[in-house]
């Protein structure tokens, strides 16, 4: 589930922040109503009323009712792509992707309940789950494209860390990195969910990426 962070919203102008807030309110209303009543029983009118907007406003943000359950923040992918491309050249592709994802996940602890409800809604409805999987795969492919473009632009830091070397920008690496990063986010969320009182989510997230950057060494016996 791609959720908008307040830090990300703050980067836009007032109008853009209001648009993001309205979209977030509609998505949250849709997810909460679906979790309580079942997605098939929730109407556009009910979602709009719960969010305090008109049906016409709903369709300014979503093409269909189902989109409100699945596409929580359509702009998150574009923000991460931009962050990957604009990250300092000295950062490795993994580090650039880590920072882009961390910015989007900054409010994850506050929105954990909504993440849980969203998963519940998708898994209770096979056609919504299929759409959710499709949306995830599309977002992953977009991230891979951004990684490939970054490699074409700046290459990767050399072994001494003194500057970029040309990189191919294509092939397996971008797709693998995007897929691994997505798995890292899910692992971070699952682990933190089971140990919320022991750790801060972003600390868990950064620990997971530190392990990836180290090549996943086996822990000491």
């Amino acid at each position: 589930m791609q959720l908008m962070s307040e830090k990300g919203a703050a980067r836009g102008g007032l109008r853009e922040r209001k648009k993001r807030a309205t979209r977030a309110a509609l998505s949250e209303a849709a997810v909460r109503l679906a979790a309580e009543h079942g997605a098939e029983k929730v109407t556009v009118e009910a979602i709009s009323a719960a969010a305090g907007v008109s049906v016409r406003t709903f369709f300014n943000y979503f093409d269909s009712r189902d989109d409100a359950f699945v596409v929580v923040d359509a702009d998150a992918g574009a923000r991460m792509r931009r962050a990957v491309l604009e990250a300092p050249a000295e950062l490795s592709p993994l580090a650039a992707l880590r920072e882009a994802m961390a910015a989007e996940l900054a409010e994850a602890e506050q929105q954990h309940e909504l993440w849980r409800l969203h998963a519940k809604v998708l898994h209770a409805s096979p056609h919504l789950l299929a759409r959710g999987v499709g949306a995830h795969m599309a977002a992953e492919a977009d991230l891979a494209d951004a990684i490939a473009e970054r490699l074409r632009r700046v290459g990767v830091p050399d072994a001494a860390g003194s500057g970029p070397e040309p990189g191919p920008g294509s092939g397996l690496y971008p797709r693998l990195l995007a897929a691994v990063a997505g798995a890292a986010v899910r692992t971070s969320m699952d682990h933190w969910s089971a140990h919320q009182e022991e750790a801060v989510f972003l600390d868990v997230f950064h620990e997971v990426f530190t392990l990836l950057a180290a090549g996943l060494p086996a822990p000491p016996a």
Side-chain angles (χ1 to χ4, degrees), residues 13-93:
L14 177 60
R15 182 178 180 182
E16 186 64 23
R17 291 199 299 273
K18 287 183 177 179
K19 287 174 62 178
R20 291 178 184 172
T22 300
R23 185 185 187 98
L26 284 165
S27 293
E28 180 171 351
V31 168
R32 291 189 181 280
L33 287 170
E36 182 177 357
H37 304 291
E40 292 74 14
K41 297 180 180 179
V42 177
T43 65
V44 170
E45 289 78 9
I47 296 170
S48 303
V53 301
S54 67
V55 170
R56 181 178 180 180
T57 297
F58 176 94
F59 285 109
N60 287 337
Y61 293 89
F62 301 100
D63 292 332
S64 70
R65 182 201 63 166
D66 286 357
D67 284 344
F69 302 130
V70 177
V71 186
V72 177
D73 183 5
D75 297 327
R79 290 196 299 272
M80 284 195 288
R81 179 185 178 89
R82 185 167 57 248
V84 167
L85 293 175
E86 294 177 354
E90 63 269 18
L91 289 184
S92 69

Side-chain angles (χ1 to χ4, degrees), residues 121-147:
V121 169
L122 294 189
H123 283 86
S125 179
H127 83 280
L128 290 180
L129 180 59
R131 289 194 59 180
V133 170
H136 171 76
M137 292 178 64
E140 189 176 285
D142 285 344
L143 270 183
D145 288 344
I147 294 165

Side-chain angles (χ1 to χ4, degrees), residues 133-167:
V133 170
H136 171 76
M137 292 178 64
E140 189 176 285
D142 285 344
L143 270 183
D145 288 344
I147 294 165
E149 184 173 346
R150 177 180 175 83
L151 289 172
R152 287 192 293 269
R153 290 184 184 184
V154 303
V156 295
D158 63 21
S162 59
E165 293 180 343

